[in-house]
Amino acid sequence: YVHASPYRVEVLHSVVQGFTTIAEGNGLVDAIVKVPQYIMITARDAYSNVLVSSNHAPTCVLTLDRTPLAVVTVTNLNNGSYTFEYIAEKSGDNIISIKVNGMHIKNSPFTVPVLDGRPDELYSIVRGAGLLTGTTGVPSYFEVFAFDLQNNRRTTSGDVYWFEVSGANIIEGIL
Protein backbone atom coordinates (compact mmCIF):
# COMPACT_ATOMS: atom_id res chain seq x y z
CA TYR A 1 0.00 0.00 0.00
CA VAL A 2 1.28 3.45 -0.98
CA HIS A 3 -0.06 6.35 1.01
CA ALA A 4 -2.64 8.51 -0.89
CA SER A 5 -2.49 6.29 -3.97
CA PRO A 6 -3.52 6.13 -6.75
CA TYR A 7 -1.73 9.18 -8.08
CA ARG A 8 -2.81 11.16 -11.09
CA VAL A 9 -0.02 11.30 -13.69
CA GLU A 10 -0.22 13.44 -16.78
CA VAL A 11 2.10 12.45 -19.63
CA LEU A 12 2.87 15.26 -22.04
CA HIS A 13 4.32 14.96 -25.50
CA SER A 14 7.76 16.19 -26.40
CA VAL A 15 8.79 18.10 -29.55
CA VAL A 16 7.73 16.86 -32.98
CA GLN A 17 9.89 14.34 -34.81
CA GLY A 18 9.77 13.79 -38.56
CA PHE A 19 10.33 10.02 -38.48
CA THR A 20 7.16 9.40 -36.41
CA THR A 21 4.92 12.00 -38.10
CA ILE A 22 2.66 10.37 -40.69
CA ALA A 23 0.69 11.63 -43.71
CA GLU A 24 -2.47 10.44 -45.46
CA GLY A 25 -4.94 11.67 -48.03
CA ASN A 26 -5.87 11.60 -51.70
CA GLY A 27 -3.28 14.28 -52.44
CA LEU A 28 -0.61 11.58 -51.92
CA VAL A 29 -2.22 9.18 -54.43
CA ASP A 30 -2.73 11.37 -57.50
CA ALA A 31 -3.68 14.87 -58.56
CA ILE A 32 -5.05 16.83 -61.51
CA VAL A 33 -3.52 20.07 -62.77
CA LYS A 34 -5.33 23.12 -61.30
CA VAL A 35 -7.57 21.02 -59.00
CA PRO A 36 -7.06 21.44 -55.22
CA GLN A 37 -5.69 18.35 -53.45
CA TYR A 38 -5.56 17.59 -49.73
CA ILE A 39 -3.14 15.85 -47.38
CA MET A 40 -3.36 15.52 -43.60
CA ILE A 41 -0.43 14.86 -41.28
CA THR A 42 -0.49 13.78 -37.66
CA ALA A 43 2.43 15.34 -35.79
CA ARG A 44 4.06 13.00 -33.25
CA ASP A 45 7.04 13.12 -30.90
CA ALA A 46 9.85 10.54 -30.74
CA TYR A 47 7.63 8.21 -28.67
CA SER A 48 4.71 8.48 -31.16
CA ASN A 49 2.67 10.68 -28.82
CA VAL A 50 0.39 12.99 -30.79
CA LEU A 51 1.17 16.69 -30.30
CA VAL A 52 -2.18 17.85 -28.96
CA SER A 53 -1.07 21.10 -27.34
CA SER A 54 0.23 24.22 -29.00
CA ASN A 55 3.27 24.40 -26.67
CA HIS A 56 5.43 22.69 -29.29
CA ALA A 57 3.53 23.61 -32.49
CA PRO A 58 5.79 22.63 -35.40
CA THR A 59 6.51 24.51 -38.59
CA CYS A 60 4.91 22.45 -41.37
CA VAL A 61 6.03 22.86 -45.00
CA LEU A 62 4.95 21.10 -48.21
CA THR A 63 6.80 21.60 -51.52
CA LEU A 64 6.20 20.26 -55.03
CA ASP A 65 9.30 19.80 -57.20
CA ARG A 66 7.54 20.50 -60.54
CA THR A 67 5.59 23.46 -59.14
CA PRO A 68 7.94 25.03 -56.57
CA LEU A 69 5.88 28.24 -56.38
CA ALA A 70 2.55 26.43 -55.93
CA VAL A 71 0.17 27.95 -53.43
CA VAL A 72 0.06 25.67 -50.39
CA THR A 73 -2.28 26.31 -47.46
CA VAL A 74 -1.53 24.74 -44.06
CA THR A 75 -4.28 24.55 -41.44
CA ASN A 76 -3.64 23.59 -37.81
CA LEU A 77 -6.61 21.53 -36.64
CA ASN A 78 -5.50 22.02 -33.00
CA ASN A 79 -5.59 18.29 -32.31
CA GLY A 80 -2.13 17.28 -33.50
CA SER A 81 -3.22 17.18 -37.14
CA TYR A 82 -2.48 19.62 -39.94
CA THR A 83 -4.08 19.75 -43.37
CA PHE A 84 -2.33 20.86 -46.54
CA GLU A 85 -4.15 22.09 -49.64
CA TYR A 86 -2.05 22.36 -52.78
CA ILE A 87 -2.72 23.05 -56.46
CA ALA A 88 -0.27 21.49 -58.92
CA GLU A 89 0.37 23.39 -62.15
CA LYS A 90 2.54 20.91 -64.07
CA SER A 91 1.61 17.37 -65.08
CA GLY A 92 3.84 14.33 -64.68
CA ASP A 93 5.31 12.61 -61.64
CA ASN A 94 5.69 15.19 -58.87
CA ILE A 95 7.96 14.77 -55.86
CA ILE A 96 6.14 16.13 -52.81
CA SER A 97 8.21 16.82 -49.72
CA ILE A 98 6.58 17.34 -46.34
CA LYS A 99 8.71 18.60 -43.48
CA VAL A 100 8.05 19.42 -39.83
CA ASN A 101 10.60 21.70 -38.16
CA GLY A 102 12.87 21.15 -41.17
CA MET A 103 12.77 17.30 -40.96
CA HIS A 104 11.17 15.06 -43.59
CA ILE A 105 8.19 13.17 -42.18
CA LYS A 106 7.89 9.38 -42.45
CA ASN A 107 8.06 8.23 -46.13
CA SER A 108 8.70 11.77 -47.41
CA PRO A 109 9.38 12.65 -50.17
CA PHE A 110 6.35 11.14 -51.94
CA THR A 111 5.98 10.56 -55.69
CA VAL A 112 2.53 11.69 -56.86
CA PRO A 113 1.37 11.41 -60.49
CA VAL A 114 -0.25 14.65 -61.61
CA LEU A 115 -2.62 14.21 -64.53
CA ASP A 116 -3.24 16.73 -67.30
CA GLY A 117 -5.88 19.38 -66.91
CA ARG A 118 -8.69 19.80 -69.42
CA PRO A 119 -7.65 20.49 -73.02
CA ASP A 120 -7.70 24.11 -74.16
CA GLU A 121 -8.04 25.36 -77.72
CA LEU A 122 -5.85 28.41 -77.04
CA TYR A 123 -2.76 26.27 -76.43
CA SER A 124 -3.52 23.31 -78.72
CA ILE A 125 -2.22 23.27 -82.28
CA VAL A 126 -2.94 21.40 -85.52
CA ARG A 127 -0.53 20.76 -88.39
CA GLY A 128 -0.34 18.69 -91.55
CA ALA A 129 -0.94 18.74 -95.30
CA GLY A 130 -4.55 17.61 -94.80
CA LEU A 131 -5.36 21.08 -93.49
CA LEU A 132 -4.60 22.67 -96.87
CA THR A 133 -5.45 20.18 -99.60
CA GLY A 134 -7.36 16.99 -100.18
CA THR A 135 -8.34 14.75 -103.07
CA THR A 136 -11.51 12.69 -103.29
CA GLY A 137 -10.81 9.07 -102.42
CA VAL A 138 -7.31 9.81 -101.10
CA PRO A 139 -6.74 10.11 -97.35
CA SER A 140 -5.54 13.49 -96.09
CA TYR A 141 -3.78 13.69 -92.76
CA PHE A 142 -3.28 16.21 -89.98
CA GLU A 143 -2.16 16.00 -86.36
CA VAL A 144 -3.66 17.55 -83.23
CA PHE A 145 -1.26 18.51 -80.43
CA ALA A 146 -3.45 19.05 -77.40
CA PHE A 147 -2.32 21.14 -74.41
CA ASP A 148 -4.11 22.04 -71.20
CA LEU A 149 -4.65 25.48 -69.63
CA GLN A 150 -1.16 25.41 -68.09
CA ASN A 151 0.43 24.57 -71.45
CA ASN A 152 1.10 20.93 -70.44
CA ARG A 153 1.07 18.48 -73.37
CA ARG A 154 -1.99 16.22 -73.01
CA THR A 155 -0.88 12.62 -72.56
CA THR A 156 -4.20 10.98 -71.72
CA SER A 157 -6.55 9.62 -74.36
CA GLY A 158 -10.28 10.01 -74.79
CA ASP A 159 -10.51 13.67 -75.83
CA VAL A 160 -13.11 14.49 -78.50
CA TYR A 161 -12.43 17.19 -81.11
CA TRP A 162 -14.86 18.60 -83.66
CA PHE A 163 -13.62 19.62 -87.08
CA GLU A 164 -15.10 21.17 -90.19
CA VAL A 165 -13.65 21.18 -93.69
CA SER A 166 -14.93 24.02 -95.83
CA GLY A 167 -14.59 24.96 -99.48
CA ALA A 168 -16.32 23.59 -102.54
CA ASN A 169 -17.39 20.54 -100.50
CA ILE A 170 -18.30 20.94 -96.82
CA ILE A 171 -17.51 18.04 -94.49
CA GLU A 172 -18.00 17.80 -90.72
CA GLY A 173 -16.96 15.08 -88.32
CA ILE A 174 -15.67 13.98 -84.97
CA LEU A 175 -12.03 13.20 -84.33
Side-chain angles (χ1 to χ4, degrees), residues 12-17 19-22 42-52 106:
L12 300 175
H13 59 76
S14 182
V15 293
V16 69
Q17 293 296 318
F19 68 91
T20 54
T21 297
I22 58 171
T42 303
R44 298 175 182 270
D45 68 10
Y47 304 99
S48 286
N49 297 308
V50 176
L51 274 67
V52 293
K106 187 174 183 177

Side-chain angles (χ1 to χ4, degrees), residues 11-169:
V11 178
L12 300 175
H13 59 76
S14 182
V15 293
V16 69
Q17 293 296 318
F19 68 91
T20 54
T21 297
I22 58 171
E24 59 185 315
N26 290 336
L28 293 173
V29 178
D30 59 23
I32 299 173
V33 170
K34 286 306 224 183
V35 176
Q37 298 297 321
Y38 300 92
I39 299 171
M40 184 176 76
I41 66 166
T42 303
R44 298 175 182 270
D45 68 10
Y47 304 99
S48 286
N49 297 308
V50 176
L51 274 67
V52 293
S53 75
S54 59
N55 294 345
H56 300 284
T59 301
C60 302
V61 177
L62 179 146
T63 55
L64 289 87
D65 73 328
R66 292 182 54 85
T67 314
L69 300 177
V71 175
V72 177
T73 304
V74 182
T75 304
N76 183 348
L77 301 178
N78 295 313
N79 64 359
S81 296
Y82 296 79
T83 59
F84 293 94
E85 176 186 320
Y86 71 88
I87 300 175
E89 294 184 5
K90 293 289 181 189
S91 62
D93 282 348
N94 237 306
I95 305 297
I96 295 179
S97 296
I98 303 176
K99 294 181 180 181
V100 292
N101 290 350
M103 299 173 284
H104 278 282
I105 68 166
K106 187 174 183 177
N107 299 323
S108 176
F110 304 90
T111 300
V112 177
V114 178
L115 306 174
D116 307 319
R118 72 172 182 80
D120 186 79
E121 68 276 3
L122 293 176
Y123 295 103
S124 298
I125 57 173
V126 181
R127 73 173 187 190
L131 294 172
L132 304 173
T133 62
T135 305
T136 304
V138 178
S140 293
Y141 298 98
F142 60 89
E143 297 176 285
V144 176
F145 296 92
F147 292 83
D148 67 14
L149 287 167
Q150 295 305 115
N151 208 21
N152 293 301
R153 176 77 187 269
R154 297 272 302 155
T155 57
T156 54
S157 61
D159 296 334
V160 177
Y161 299 93
W162 291 92
F163 67 93
E164 179 180 316
V165 179
S166 59
N169 296 313

